[in-house]
Every structure is written in structure tokens, then in C-alpha cells.
Amino acid sequence: MESALVRLVRERAGDRCEYCRMPQAFERTPFQVDHVIARKHGGPTSPGNLCLSCFYCNSFKGSDIATLSPDSRRLVALYNPRTQNWPRHFRWRGAHLQGRTETARATIILLRINEPLRIELRSALIAEGIDFD
Ligand SMILES: [Zn+2]
């Protein structure tokens, strides 16, 4: 991927994961440019389909674009950082990310955003004054 495109994605995201909002500055593993709609599903390598993702979110998301809802067990599309508004879908309760919508709750589970070690890291960062909003 061309460096100008990677730079655009990083800057637009403020160097934070666009799913879990972790700042790159506090993760050793470089964040990755994620195809929101994976190439294998026809997603283009263009700004409107790319987002910045931490290693964890990107690893658990893989090429998935949908998952079974924990609420209804229906297939629901994952949260799309390019077409959906983060604060409308998610909210923080301390270091625990809550989904306001079925889409968000399904995304949180698939991407394992509330795994104990991830909550522990966010708790420590919040105690240091880091803001995840
Ligand atoms: Zn993340």
C-alpha cells in the first residue's frame, strides 16, 4: 500500500484504533491499515474503505464483515468506521466498552475488545489520564 495512503489513514484516525480507540503510542505492535470490507469481499484499497486498527482488533476481525448478534443470533454487519459514527454505537463504562447498538455489541464480542488483559491496559492508561473518547 502506498505510503501516502497509509499516512492519510493514520492521520485521519489520530493514530488511534478506529474500533477500540487505543492510541498507537501505548502499543508496541504497529497499528495496521484495515480494509473495512475485505478485498476478498470486493472492498477497494481506497480511503473510503480503510481504517486504522490495532493489532488485536485487526487480528480478531480478519476478513469478517458480519457476525452473529449476541442479542438475537441474527447475522449483523460489523461496525463500519467509515460509514457509522463511533459515539452513536459505543460508550465507555470505565475501561469497559459497551455497545449502544446490536452492531456495536456484536463487534465488541467478535473483536474481543473487552478481554481482561485489554481492559487491564485501558484501566492503567485511564488512571494515567489517557482519554479514550
Ligand atoms: Zn483496536
Side-chain angles (χ1 to χ4, degrees), residues 9-16 23-24 52:
V9 171
R10 287 191 180 284
E11 287 175 7
R12 180 176 63 191
D15 254 346
R16 286 178 176 257
Q24 169 70 81
L52 191 64

Side-chain angles (χ1 to χ4, degrees), residues 102-116:
E102 189 172 35
T103 290
R105 289 187 289 277
T107 301
I108 288 167
I109 289 174
L110 186 75
L111 276 52
R112 302 187 193 177
I113 291 173
N114 288 323
E115 289 270 301

Side-chain angles (χ1 to χ4, degrees), residues 4 10 12 25 28 35 42 46 80 89 98 104 110 112-113 120 128-129:
R10 287 191 180 284
R12 180 176 63 191
R28 265 182 254 144
H35 285 76
S46 61
N80 182 327
H89 285 270
Q98 293 185 317
L110 186 75
R112 302 187 193 177
I113 291 173
E120 194 177 306
E128 296 291 320

Side-chain angles (χ1 to χ4, degrees), residues 68-101:
L68 293 177
S69 163
D71 306 339
S72 66
R73 304 305 293 165
R74 288 184 309 119
L75 191 64
V76 295
L78 297 177
Y79 168 72
N80 182 327
R82 293 285 67 79
T83 61
Q84 295 175 310
N85 178 278
W86 197 93
R88 184 176 150 359
H89 285 270
F90 301 97
R91 69 174 161 237
W92 291 108
R93 190 166 150 245
H96 190 270
L97 189 60
Q98 293 185 317
R100 295 176 184 267
T101 62

Side-chain angles (χ1 to χ4, degrees), residues 49-50 82 84 101 130 132:
N49 187 47
L50 299 174
R82 293 285 67 79
Q84 295 175 310
T101 62
I130 303 304
F132 281 83

